[in-house]
Structures are given as structure tokens and as C-alpha cells.
Amino acid sequence: MKKLREDYLDFLEEYYLKANDSALKAQDKEQESDENLILLDDLKLKTKEGLLEGAESQIESLNLEEKEEVWEMDFNSKEISFRFVCLVLACMFVALLLFIPKVYICNNIYYVSRNLIQLQAQLDSLNEENKYIKKQLEDIKFKNLTYELNF
């Protein structure tokens, strides 16, 4: 019993060491990838070397007035102008005008084709029934002729 506990403890120890090794390797890889990337304006990711070159060219291209305008901009305002709302509503209205007839026509085509398929199936069954009745009629005529010839 004691040997079983020792084996179990050895197994758990090996498992724990392997888990720690794999976790450390994953963290090392993550840190390496994080070291190679720097976040720029919440949109662009560049390596450190590309960032330095791009930043220098951007700083040189902006003059003092442009820098002040950028600092004075209010990015937190969440106002939507009335003109923009009207424009969006007009676009939605035009889209409805274009797509409602299309949907109506597609639905009508679907239902008409469904009716046509049903009528075609009825026609096929009636044609088969007609053939069967004609065959029965021929059989009756033949029996009638043979019956008359016997008398």
C-alpha cells in the first residue's frame, strides 16, 4: 500500500513538472512575441525598428499648428447630427423601396412554381390513369369481339 502511494506521488510529481515546463515555454514564447510588437494608435502593430522610422517621419511632417489641432480635437463627443440621421433614414427608405418588391416577386414566383409542380403531378397521374382506362377499354373490346365470334 505504501509503495502504491509512493508511485502515485511520483506520478503526480512528474505530471506537475511537465505541466510547469510547458507553461513556462508558453510564457516565454508569448513574451518574445510581445517584445517584437508595439501598439501604435490602437490600430497599427509594427516592429520596434519600423516604429522608430515611421514615428520620426510623422513627427517631422506635422507642423506646430497641426499638432495643436490634433490636441484640441474632442474624440469623446458622441453626438450624431440631425443631418446624418436623416441621411441614414433616407438610405434605409431607398433600400426598402428597392428590396420589398424583389422579395414580393420572389415569394410569388415560389408559390406559383409550387402550384405548377402540383398541377404537373396531377397531370401526370391523370395521363397514367387515362392510359390504364384505354387499355381496359381495349381489353373489353377484344373480349366482346372474341365473345361474338364464339357465337
Side-chain angles (χ1 to χ4, degrees), residues 115-133:
N115 290 339
L116 286 175
I117 290 171
Q118 187 179 20
L119 290 173
Q120 184 66 39
Q122 289 176 352
L123 179 66
D124 291 342
S125 69
L126 289 174
N127 283 337
E128 290 297 321
E129 188 176 351
N130 191 16
K131 288 179 188 177
Y132 179 72
I133 292 173

Side-chain angles (χ1 to χ4, degrees), residues 21-35:
D21 288 342
S22 63
L24 289 175
K25 288 178 184 177
Q27 286 178 352
D28 289 341
K29 288 180 182 178
E30 186 176 314
Q31 286 176 356
E32 288 174 6
S33 64
D34 288 344
E35 289 173 0

Side-chain angles (χ1 to χ4, degrees), residues 23-140:
L24 289 175
K25 288 178 184 177
Q27 286 178 352
D28 289 341
K29 288 180 182 178
E30 186 176 314
Q31 286 176 356
E32 288 174 6
S33 64
D34 288 344
E35 289 173 0
N36 291 334
L37 297 176
I38 294 176
L39 188 61
L40 176 65
D41 290 336
D42 295 335
L43 296 176
K44 298 178 185 176
L45 295 175
K46 292 185 175 182
T47 60
K48 288 182 181 178
E49 297 82 20
L51 177 64
L52 293 176
E53 296 169 2
E56 290 173 0
S57 63
Q58 287 179 349
I59 290 171
E60 293 171 1
S61 66
L62 294 176
N63 60 21
L64 185 61
E65 293 173 5
E66 291 173 339
K67 289 179 185 177
E68 289 176 3
E69 288 177 10
V70 169
W71 285 111
E72 291 174 1
M73 285 185 167
D74 185 18
F75 292 109
N76 294 330
S77 74
K78 297 187 181 198
E79 295 178 11
I80 298 175
S81 67
F82 180 73
R83 184 176 176 186
F84 181 72
V85 172
C86 290
L87 180 67
V88 169
L89 289 176
C91 290
M92 289 175 59
F93 183 72
V94 168
L96 284 175
L97 285 178
L98 292 174
F99 291 115
I100 285 178
K102 180 189 180 301
V103 170
Y104 176 76
I105 291 170
C106 287
N107 282 338
N108 279 345
I109 289 172
Y110 169 73
Y111 288 116
V112 168
S113 67
R114 224 174 73 177
N115 290 339
L116 286 175
I117 290 171
Q118 187 179 20
L119 290 173
Q120 184 66 39
Q122 289 176 352
L123 179 66
D124 291 342
S125 69
L126 289 174
N127 283 337
E128 290 297 321
E129 188 176 351
N130 191 16
K131 288 179 188 177
Y132 179 72
I133 292 173
K134 283 183 181 179
K135 185 179 178 186
Q136 281 184 342
L137 181 63
E138 284 182 26
D139 290 344
I140 292 172

